[in-house]
Amino acid sequence: MELTKFDHACVRLEKNGKVLVIDPGAFTRSPVLDGADAVLITHEHFDHVDADKLKAASADLEIYTCEAVAAQLDEVPGKVQVVRHGDGFETAGFRVKAFGERHAENHPDMAVVQNVGFLVDDELFYPGDALTVPDVEVPTLLVPTGGPWLKLMEMVAYLRTIRPARAYSTHDALYSEIGLGLVDNWLRIESEKQGADIRRLAVGESTTLG
């Protein structure tokens, strides 16, 4: 399975000629849905879901998401299916399990929205905007590294709780170049401490998992 990092919180997975995209939001500038067979969406915030992108996609596209997002995608031609914590399904040849129910607390005046994380092929876990700890081993973690709901110490604690063999930065478009340098340093320190491959992939960079 090949993982490619796209802008901010979006990644693209390819395996056996099939393509699975996670969280193609408004910050994702590339045509990430070209050739996509399935999409996973963790929650309703615009940096994770862009309805216009989905409206322009193929009617054959399979979309899996939480109930709150599905309710907003009634004009999308693709097949939208609701998933909840504990669900398992297969799409485009990928095996997926859902974990988690709620977004991390953000602003005191903002309601906590639904958020579901996805474990793909028992290999890659994408938590969305939450620090969900699945009750299974996580070989590869997409770790959020920036956002108004996240502290550095929480990110480090999450890595030390999950203890993945590999972890790659996500949710990082809000940083300047200086900030991204700090992210690189924090992840390098944790990589050395845990003896794991923990780092930030550049936008467009790919790596092979499994």
Side-chain angles (χ1 to χ4, degrees), residues 165-198:
R166 293 163 295 279
Y168 305 114
S169 170
T170 186
H171 214 275
D172 49 20
L174 301 184
Y175 283 110
S176 66
E177 287 302 315
I178 293 172
L180 289 173
L182 290 174
V183 170
D184 290 338
N185 190 52
W186 296 330
L187 296 181
R188 177 187 57 79
I189 291 171
E190 202 57 29
S191 176
E192 293 173 354
K193 186 175 185 67
Q194 295 195 30
D197 180 19
I198 300 175

Side-chain angles (χ1 to χ4, degrees), residues 4-199:
T4 302
K5 173 77 165 69
F6 280 79
D7 304 275
H8 189 50
C10 180
V11 296
R12 181 174 165 120
L13 304 175
E14 300 188 41
K15 183 184 73 171
N16 298 330
K18 297 293 186 177
V19 176
L20 173 67
V21 177
I22 307 178
D23 279 7
F27 293 168
T28 305
R29 293 165 292 184
S30 304
V32 69
L33 294 181
D34 285 0
D37 299 287
V39 171
L40 309 178
I41 300 170
T42 60
H43 66 283
E44 65 191 69
H45 291 158
F46 73 95
D47 54 331
H48 292 259
V49 57
D50 183 340
D52 288 337
K53 283 186 177 69
L54 296 172
K55 288 176 185 177
S58 168
D60 295 327
L61 188 68
E62 296 183 357
I63 303 166
Y64 295 83
T65 187
C66 61
E67 186 175 5
V69 174
Q72 300 177 18
L73 300 182
D74 55 317
E75 297 182 8
V76 169
K79 183 180 180 182
V80 180
Q81 300 175 76
V82 172
V83 294
R84 299 175 179 85
H85 173 75
D87 287 348
F89 56 94
E90 184 170 322
T91 181
F94 295 87
R95 290 174 290 106
V96 184
K97 298 175 184 176
F99 291 92
E101 299 175 290
R102 291 163 57 86
H103 191 288
E105 292 186 3
N106 199 343
H107 189 282
D109 297 335
M110 293 178 63
V112 176
V113 301
Q114 294 177 345
N115 181 98
V116 60
F118 297 103
L119 178 69
V120 181
D121 281 350
D122 294 322
E123 171 65 43
L124 174 74
F125 183 60
Y126 184 108
D129 282 10
L131 300 178
T132 303
V133 179
D135 57 357
V136 296
E137 181 182 1
V138 175
T140 304
L141 175 68
L142 292 179
V143 58
T145 56
W149 53 273
L150 183 66
K151 295 180 181 178
L152 168 61
M153 58 187 255
E154 294 172 334
M155 182 267 285
V156 172
Y158 190 48
L159 285 168
R160 294 183 182 182
T161 299
I162 299 288
R163 299 200 70 83
R166 293 163 295 279
Y168 305 114
S169 170
T170 186
H171 214 275
D172 49 20
L174 301 184
Y175 283 110
S176 66
E177 287 302 315
I178 293 172
L180 289 173
L182 290 174
V183 170
D184 290 338
N185 190 52
W186 296 330
L187 296 181
R188 177 187 57 79
I189 291 171
E190 202 57 29
S191 176
E192 293 173 354
K193 186 175 185 67
Q194 295 195 30
D197 180 19
I198 300 175
R199 56 192 167 94

